[in-house]
Amino acid sequence: MNRRRQSGLIGEREIALIGCVSTRLTQKTTWGDAEARRRRATTLPGCCSRIRVLYYYFFPTFRDLFFEQKEITPFSRYAERNILSQEFHLVAPDHLKYNQPSIVSGRTDVVTVTPWLAPVVWEGTFDPVLFDSIYKQKNITIAATVFAVGKYIMFLKEFLETAEKHFFVGFRVHVFVFTDRPNELPQVKMAAGRQLTAYPVPSSKRWQEISARRMEFIQELIEKELHKYADYIFCLDVDSRFHSRWGTESLGGLVAVVHPGYYRADRSEFPYERRPESRAYVAPGEGDFYYCGGAFGGLLQEVHQLAKTCHSNFKADATDGIEAAWQEESHLNRYMWINKPSKVLSPEYLWQDFKNINPEVKIIRFSGVIKNYAAIRPNV
């Protein structure tokens, strides 16, 4: 039970249960007036209680935000409105034409579902026309964050230019650049409904510190700004570029990207934090995949919970004199070992330019560029 509460996921059975109770609650009755009043007086409180119990048990994010929250905040009001509106009911436009799906043919060279039944997104596993048509109706806004601190500002122009060509094209997108050089943002023409905002952050003499504070700044941005209008957020590395579509097929509750350097490796080779005294610790024999710290996202409230938890654990480790092996990436991997992603993106969504492309990788959507770390980092 505890693992289910920690996971932050609702399965089809739980959705059906909630839907069943909700339907009973809202059905139009044919009872007579007096009888209707009597039955409503006795059944409505019970139905409402059952719905609250189902939400409380099956949706820990909902529980954490509302049932145990002592103070109502703007972010909690936003989440209350939005927490169930995006992911649990996908409505396709009537008469939409798209290729017939099949459950007996498709990709056989890769795994397309995790052991907890989350989809693994590869080229050839989704219909972009269908996905875009579903999400266009939802009128969503996607936020994206990148960190361009110090000399990393040199990568921002190519990131933005390629994002305009491939990242959620045709949707509202707001890119936030965390930078200590807000006056050096490049001039990039953005399509209607897309905008760029600089978010000033301090410089640092250690790249590890910049990396470590990412979760803190993401949490802060969500609480201060994004809760007002954004639905989804993706947190991406700036020293990267887009090559092909990254779109609505990537949307989900909590979304992870499998690291291109370890997706074929045994879990014993994953660079998890292995010191038990760290809050990022993953024990030998544990862990599902090794996820990228350079690309993750999902619903705003799910990423808020991830960032808040990782930031808190990082600070607690620092108090004990510990820095996890790969800073926020180590804490992210620990978090996602317990809180399973509801959608997993294949290494197509963050390849490495220095790597040869393996046969199962049919397309590169986003990749980290080749760079000289000694020339761009304040320390090596």
Side-chain angles (χ1 to χ4, degrees), residues 16-69:
L17 284 170
I18 293 172
C20 180
V21 176
S22 300
T23 301
R24 287 283 302 278
L25 181 63
T26 57
Q27 277 179 334
K28 184 176 181 180
T29 179
T30 57
W31 303 329
D33 289 344
E35 180 67 5
R37 285 195 297 271
R38 184 187 69 79
R39 294 199 184 187
R40 280 198 296 269
T42 56
T43 60
L44 284 177
C47 287
C48 291
S49 296
R50 275 175 280 176
I51 289 176
R52 285 195 296 269
V53 168
L54 286 167
Y55 275 70
Y56 186 91
Y57 177 71
F58 291 125
F59 209 142
T61 304
F62 184 91
R63 183 189 71 238
D64 292 342
L65 283 171
F66 310 117
F67 289 93
E68 297 175 1
Q69 185 163 300

Side-chain angles (χ1 to χ4, degrees), residues 65 73-80 222-223 227 300-301 304:
L65 283 171
T73 66
F75 177 72
S76 69
R77 291 193 188 97
Y78 162 82
E80 186 173 14
I222 292 172
E223 292 174 353
H227 72 86
L300 205 65
Q301 57 268 23
H304 177 261

Side-chain angles (χ1 to χ4, degrees), residues 119-179:
V120 182
V121 182
W122 295 87
E123 175 69 5
T125 63
F126 64 91
D127 190 310
V129 173
L130 176 58
F131 262 104
D132 285 352
S133 298
I134 289 171
Y135 281 96
K136 275 289 186 183
Q137 300 178 116
K138 291 176 176 286
N139 198 29
I140 59 173
T141 296
I142 302 102
T145 64
V146 292
F147 283 73
V149 178
K151 294 180 181 180
Y152 275 79
I153 194 80
M154 71 174 66
F155 300 108
L156 183 58
K157 190 173 192 295
E158 185 175 30
F159 175 93
L160 294 171
E161 288 177 342
T162 57
E164 282 299 293
K165 297 176 182 178
H166 303 295
F167 185 71
F168 286 99
V169 174
F171 288 84
R172 280 198 307 275
V173 174
H174 195 162
V175 180
F176 285 85
V177 180
F178 295 91
T179 182

